[in-house]
Amino acid sequence: MRNHLVLPSRTAILLVCALLLPARPAPAQSAPSLADLRWSASETAAGRFTIVPGQRAFVAGYNSPGLEVWTPPLQLLRGYRITMRAEGDTSETDGRSALRSIEHTPTAATRLYNGPGFTVRERIFTPVDLPGATISYAVESRKPVVIT
């Protein structure tokens, strides 16, 4: 029995060589960080669940009946919700009816409220290594707004 050696064609050799050549490095791209991730949703009549988890605390709940703040095993707050009133107005705006959208990131949640002549942004943050939460407010309005 005779062994035959089959030589590849010139095209096949060139193709293999082209595949083995190192690829030219691609231009540098900045990798997206965790802080760049965002998920936004409009508020619905039934309400959307909000959660801001940390390692030692979390804030969670629906717009109605309100948020809960936990540092397990303790529940620090239950039914947390806000009302707003622009200076000179006689009636308050209930946050449960004024909530329009929620934006989640891996580290925080921002809830957007609209009232007559003002916009309120509520930022909920839980630190990575501390048992607690921060809830802060930014107001866009021509008049001062009282948040309760």
Side-chain angles (χ1 to χ4, degrees):
M1 188 177 224
R2 216 170 182 188
N3 288 339
H4 293 282
L5 180 62
V6 179
L7 295 175
S9 69
R10 182 181 290 176
T11 306
I13 291 173
L14 290 175
L15 180 61
V16 169
C17 289
L19 292 174
L20 294 176
L21 287 176
R24 188 182 321 173
Q29 296 178 356
S30 61
S33 74
L34 211 51
D36 295 332
L37 298 174
R38 296 204 178 324
W39 174 72
S40 295
S42 298
E43 177 61 7
T44 65
R48 293 209 182 266
F49 189 74
T50 300
I51 186 162
V52 184
Q55 290 181 357
R56 298 183 61 195
F58 69 90
V59 178
Y62 292 94
N63 186 30
S64 182
L67 297 176
E68 297 179 352
V69 179
W70 287 83
T71 58
L74 301 174
Q75 181 181 26
L76 302 178
L77 290 174
R78 178 181 62 189
Y80 182 83
R81 57 187 172 82
I82 65 170
T83 61
M84 301 148 284
R85 183 178 51 81
E87 185 178 78
D89 288 353
T90 56
S91 62
E92 291 185 330
T93 301
D94 189 345
R96 293 176 293 186
S97 62
L99 183 60
R100 297 294 175 253
S101 66
I102 304 169
E103 179 182 84
H104 283 274
T105 67
T107 59
T110 301
R111 302 194 310 171
L112 180 70
Y113 300 89
N114 282 334
F118 61 85
T119 300
V120 174
R121 282 182 173 72
E122 175 185 63
R123 184 174 184 270
I124 306 164
F125 170 75
T126 53
V128 172
D129 57 348
L130 298 174
T134 301
I135 302 175
S136 58
Y137 296 90
V139 178
E140 295 174 19
S141 175
R142 294 180 190 252
K143 302 186 233 177
V145 174
V146 176
I147 299 173
T148 54

